[in-house]
Amino acid sequence: EVQLVQSGAEVKKPGESLKISCKGSGYRFTSYWIGWVRQMPGKGLEWMGIIYPGDSDTRYSPSFQGQVTFSADKSISTAYLQWSSLKASDTAMYYCARARIAVDGMDVWGQGTTVTVSS
Amino acid sequence: EIVMTQSPGTLSVSPGERVTLSCRASQSVSINLAWYQQKPGQAPRLLIYGASTRATGIPARFSGSGSGTEFTLTISSLQSEDFAVYYCQQCNNWPQTFGQGTKVEIK
């Protein structure tokens, strides 16, 4: 079964760092893009960016460039989204999802990771 | 950045009705347009890619059309499980962008 399994919910304080994960299984991890999508409470979907684990080619939305970092470890089929200094406004659900070809949309999604940032 | 605009914001529909959702791009995205369905508490699900190709396992009552800047998602006969929020996404240019969503609710 093809799936993406994300790490569990996080509660952090402003200024703290965080790295969440997305582990792929049931397919060739290095042959698919992994996209990251933010959904703030009660709001719509926001495309944050995308990484190709095969060669680490990475594209960020300008809205998120410099605010987050994507990475991937091919050896364990896992992609990561990290923050160096969280803000309260980072409170949201974060989804990873895969795309075989970037123009074809994202066909398999993780279950989401809830990040809560509060003092 | 390409802006995706969906209409209407909310659609009140009775089961069995035909539903048409619209998505407009601020510039041409060719046919590189995807539609997703999201139910409360769940991750989005890919319905349509390439503007008109149904994703694996998607019922035939869902269809997509359009190219360039104007796109449509049609549900031929709305089922109870179809009440959800629907998003379009342009996949043609970086950054990829989503529309703001259309909520399909029970009338």
Side-chain angles (χ1 to χ4, degrees), chain A residues 33 37 39 43-47 50 59-63 95 102-107 109-112, chain B residues 1 32-34 36 38 41-46 49-50 87 89 91-92 94-100:
Chain A
W33 294 85
V37 175
Q39 188 165 40
K43 302 299 184 183
L45 305 176
E46 298 176 87
W47 190 85
I50 201 164
R59 311 297 173 105
Y60 292 96
S61 167
S63 300
Y95 293 103
V103 297
D104 275 355
M106 296 179 282
D107 67 338
W109 290 64
Q111 82 278 17
Chain B
E1 177 173 317
N32 297 316
L33 189 286
Y36 300 86
Q38 187 179 33
Q42 296 185 16
R45 177 174 71 146
L46 178 67
Y49 64 94
Y87 295 94
Q89 178 201 14
C91 307
N92 195 61
W94 308 117
Q96 297 185 356
T97 45
F98 289 97
Q100 81 279 17

Side-chain angles (χ1 to χ4, degrees), chain A residues 26-72:
Chain A
Y27 74 99
R28 181 172 290 183
F29 186 72
T30 52
S31 297
Y32 287 74
W33 294 85
I34 294 287
W36 289 96
V37 175
R38 182 174 80 174
Q39 188 165 40
M40 299 177 78
K43 302 299 184 183
L45 305 176
E46 298 176 87
W47 190 85
M48 301 175 68
I50 201 164
I51 183 168
Y52 190 75
D55 61 8
S56 293
D57 185 9
T58 304
R59 311 297 173 105
Y60 292 96
S61 167
S63 300
F64 294 92
Q65 179 89 45
Q67 309 303 309
V68 298
T69 302
F70 306 144
S71 60

